[in-house]
Amino acid sequence: MASSTDAQLLATQVRRLLEAAPAATLPMTYQQLAEALGLIPPRTIQRVAQALEASMREDAEHGRPFIAALVVSRRDGLPAQGFFELAVALGCFPAEPARHVEAYREECRRALAERPP
């Protein structure tokens, strides 16, 4: 199991990569992000998810939109369920699941708009 320090270091790399990625390539999938980070199996997606969760906690603490909103599942074009659960737990998304997709779309728009130029 990865330590929280590993997740934090990976979260820093994830943030840099997502901030620098061309807007046309976003959102990217968890697999694309794992490949861009050069992660090697096993547990690549799990490690990406832990890093994204660490970035969400940091963003919530600093009042920023979730950079993690720029990473989605290739299955449905939305973040994994853990993204929504953590967003609710951090008090940033409504508790009602019926409102999650709308909240996510707004968060994604804000995250794209607030990336460094």
Side-chain angles (χ1 to χ4, degrees):
M1 184 160 176
S3 73
S4 62
T5 304
D6 291 341
Q8 199 57 52
L9 289 172
L10 195 55
T12 300
Q13 292 177 297
V14 164
R15 181 177 305 282
R16 286 188 190 133
L17 195 148
L18 292 173
E19 287 177 347
T25 66
L26 298 170
M28 67 176 56
T29 67
Y30 293 97
Q31 186 62 46
Q32 289 170 324
L33 181 56
E35 289 169 5
L37 292 165
L39 297 181
I40 303 164
R43 299 188 312 280
T44 55
I45 302 304
Q46 179 184 3
R47 288 162 52 208
V48 164
Q50 289 170 338
L52 289 169
E53 289 173 3
S55 77
M56 288 175 70
R57 287 184 181 91
E58 185 179 306
D59 287 341
E61 188 178 314
H62 291 94
R64 298 185 298 239
F66 295 132
I67 194 92
L70 303 179
V71 184
V72 297
S73 168
R74 70 171 173 244
R75 186 178 65 252
D76 60 9
L78 294 170
Q81 188 59 37
F83 170 89
F84 294 102
E85 290 168 1
L86 184 55
V88 170
L90 292 170
C92 298
F93 270 32
E96 306 85 35
R99 295 181 54 206
H100 286 177
V101 171
E102 178 186 341
Y104 160 71
R105 290 202 172 112
E106 175 61 18
E107 195 71 10
C108 186
R109 187 196 63 72
R110 289 179 56 226
L112 281 169
E114 292 196 20
R115 289 186 329 142

